[in-house]
Amino acid sequence: MARLFGTDGIRGVAGRDLTAELAMDLSVAAAHVLGDAGAFAATGRRPVAVVGRDPRASGEFLEAAVVAGLAASGVDVLRLGVLPTPAVAHLTAALGADLGVMLSASHNPAPDNGIKFLARGGFKLSDAVEDEIERRLGESWSFPVGSGVGRVRDAYGEADRYISHVLTTMTAALDGLHIVVDCAHGAAHMVAPEALVRAGARVEAIGARPDGLNINAGHGSTHLEKIRQVVVSRGADMGVAYDGDADRCLAVDHTGTIVDGDQIMAVLAAAMHGDGLLAKDTVVATVMSNLGFKLAMRDSGITVIETAVGDRYVLERMKSDGFNLGGEQSGHVIMLDHATTGDGLLTSLHLLGVVAKSGVPLKELAAVMTPLPQILINVKDVDKGKASVPELIAAVADPEAELGETGRVLIRPSGTEPMIRVMVEAASEEHANLVAGRLADVVRTACAS
């Protein structure tokens, strides 16, 4: 049987892949694995869970199923309502909850949805804990009755606790900055504009009218065309865009030029390094981060440590080795001094804070790194288990030697599809395209299924 949990929880088309029955069964298993719900009789204390969601219409029935499963298992539930994933993570810790649940499919279209579980302290689960929840699905449970059942209450006012938290992390007011914010018709549509206004910025919000079906539709961090247009037409200083659950952030400078996650990390790392706040003068990135980022960090005296693709792997390395800044090109930026997960609102506030404190426009700050042309070809319908066959390894050797320090080659299997990804960086887009196309042809032949 295929593993239910992917790289970021469980996702699928709501009502087909992710049903109410599955959501309830998962919450019951999670209650026992994460909340030790079965220990209530011995301890006299019911475990506590917080549950949040993004505005998708399907989140309503999935929330009902999750809450029912938790309460039936003897877990008290605080319903947080529509909030970003990082807000749910923060509140899991701040409210002393035993577990957190977020219902979202992030940047996916509206018909999809997902379930993410969080452990005590607001951290994402390890593979081992996710496997344990899967293993215990459908187990024959002894459910509590009477005073043993969980109680459910609404805790929508806790959104302000999260806003107050992110604002207390700032070292500079945003007075005078004119900002456009794109909330992707998603989970940040209320908290992000409110926080930015309270930080002192003049804010124009777009993508902030969710109807349950328009999340990520033409807006947000995966659709930057609208915010680029609005920033330029309004003469704004810059724009920030979140995805559906607001755990990532991308930016746009005053000319409408995109500032990606690597550039955002470079700006934050340089500022933290200059203020003596960057732990061990190191930032954690993934193997997909642009070579330009690594070269810029080297020139700034900052070490870059690479992990596998996925913010959870970035976080694991940060926690294990004591680093406080890391992230991905996609805009997942983790500031571990202030958050347990990628937090789009927190990232944008600190990026804006660097602009405000320095008085330097984002366009100039982002120039700390020069992105190299990066070509990614997804070679589909191949045997991804053959990504390390000798023919492919040999084919990579020549372009790697040819590119030297001015480029690189990365070939890796997809984590979810029968696909091998070929990524090439070079000094020119033409050269990168040429090398990537050549290697993609080798993959199709050497890795045929």
Side-chain angles (χ1 to χ4, degrees):
M1 182 181 297
R3 189 173 188 268
L4 278 176
F5 284 91
T7 55
D8 198 17
I10 296 167
R11 288 189 197 174
V13 177
R16 186 181 72 194
D17 307 315
L18 185 55
T19 62
E21 293 82 358
L22 177 58
M24 183 178 291
D25 289 347
L26 282 164
S27 65
V28 171
H32 288 80
V33 173
L34 297 172
D36 199 15
F40 167 66
T43 65
R45 184 192 76 87
R46 281 194 295 265
V48 176
V50 296
V51 178
R53 64 181 179 87
D54 71 22
R56 292 166 208 266
S58 60
E60 297 167 3
F61 81 76
L62 289 172
E63 178 191 60
V66 166
V67 169
L70 292 170
S73 301
V75 177
D76 287 342
V77 180
L78 301 177
R79 279 194 303 218
L80 301 174
V82 174
L83 277 181
T85 291
V88 175
H90 172 72
L91 293 169
T92 300
L95 298 175
D98 297 281
L99 68 151
V101 187
M102 178 66 186
L103 300 166
S104 176
S106 189
H107 60 280
N108 287 27
D112 292 351
N113 215 322
I115 301 179
K116 305 177 190 180
F117 292 103
L118 300 161
R120 289 182 186 91
F123 289 101
K124 291 185 178 181
L125 307 185
S126 67
D127 289 343
V129 173
E130 289 179 342
D131 289 342
E132 177 68 3
I133 291 173
E134 276 201 42
R135 188 183 67 79
R136 301 192 71 179
L137 272 176
E139 198 168 304
S140 180
W141 305 107
S142 176
F143 289 95
V145 297
S147 63
V149 301
R151 306 301 298 271
V152 181
R153 67 180 177 88
D154 293 332
Y156 302 145
E158 295 297 345
D160 191 66
R161 186 191 298 259
Y162 167 67
I163 294 173
S164 297
H165 162 68
V166 294
L167 290 175
T168 61
T169 70
M170 298 186 64
T171 59
L174 306 184
D175 299 345
L177 284 181
H178 178 191
I179 308 301
V180 178
V181 55
D182 187 341
C183 300
H185 296 306
H189 74 281
M190 292 182 65
V191 297
E194 171 73 11
L196 289 163
V197 167
R198 283 166 57 175
R202 178 158 66 96
V203 178
E204 292 189 51
I206 62 175
R209 294 183 177 180
D211 62 12
L213 301 175
N214 62 354
I215 190 168
N216 300 311
H219 279 274
S221 61
T222 52
H223 301 281
L224 295 171
E225 300 82 9
K226 183 67 174 178
I227 192 171
R228 295 176 68 188
Q229 175 191 4
V230 174
V231 165
V232 173
S233 65
R234 299 286 198 275
D237 294 301
M238 57 180 285
V240 292
Y242 312 114
D243 62 339
D245 69 336
D247 65 350
R248 71 172 76 177
C249 167
L250 295 180
V252 173
D253 69 24
H254 72 282
T255 69
T257 301
I258 295 170
V259 178
D260 69 15
D262 284 341
Q263 293 167 294
I264 291 171
M265 279 198 297
V267 172
L268 294 177
M272 292 171 67
H273 181 62
D275 292 339
L277 299 176
L278 185 63
K280 301 182 181 180
D281 297 321
T282 297
V283 62
V284 182
T286 76
V287 293
M288 290 298 287
S289 279
N290 193 280
L291 180 58
F293 169 74
K294 297 163 192 174
L295 295 175
M297 294 296 93
R298 183 193 65 187
D299 293 344
S300 299
I302 298 171
T303 300
V304 176
I305 290 179
E306 292 184 346
T307 73
V309 175
D311 62 318
R312 63 189 298 176
Y313 302 114
V314 172
L315 178 60
E316 286 173 6
R317 187 63 184 270
M318 292 173 68
K319 288 170 62 180
S320 66
D321 290 2
F323 305 125
N324 63 351
L325 180 65
E328 298 185 285
Q329 191 180 70
S330 60
H332 285 116
V333 177
I334 303 170
M335 306 186 75
L336 200 50
D337 291 337
H338 311 301
T340 59
T341 185
D343 187 329
L345 176 56
L346 180 73
T347 299
S348 62
L349 285 169
H350 280 258
L351 180 66
L352 289 161
V354 176
V355 173
K357 188 175 181 179
S358 67
V360 178
L362 178 60
K363 186 173 185 66
E364 290 184 37
L365 291 172
V368 69
M369 70 164 278
T370 303
L372 293 181
Q374 188 178 75
I375 301 299
L376 177 65
I377 299 178
N378 294 320
V379 185
K380 300 180 179 181
D381 300 321
V382 292
D383 183 352
K384 62 183 181 181
K386 296 180 179 179
S388 299
V389 295
E391 301 98 300
L392 197 50
I393 293 173
V396 167
D398 285 344
E400 280 186 330
E402 174 189 336
L403 292 168
E405 289 193 358
T406 65
R408 66 183 178 123
V409 174
L410 178 65
I411 295 180
R412 67 180 187 91
S414 166
T416 57
E417 301 175 75
M419 175 191 301
I420 293 177
R421 306 187 192 279
V422 176
M423 191 274 286
V424 176
E425 289 171 337
S428 72
E429 186 170 351
E430 181 182 11
H431 193 183
N433 263 315
L434 182 65
V435 174
R438 200 163 62 220
L439 289 174
D441 288 340
V442 176
V443 169
R444 293 185 186 97
T445 302
C447 305
S449 56

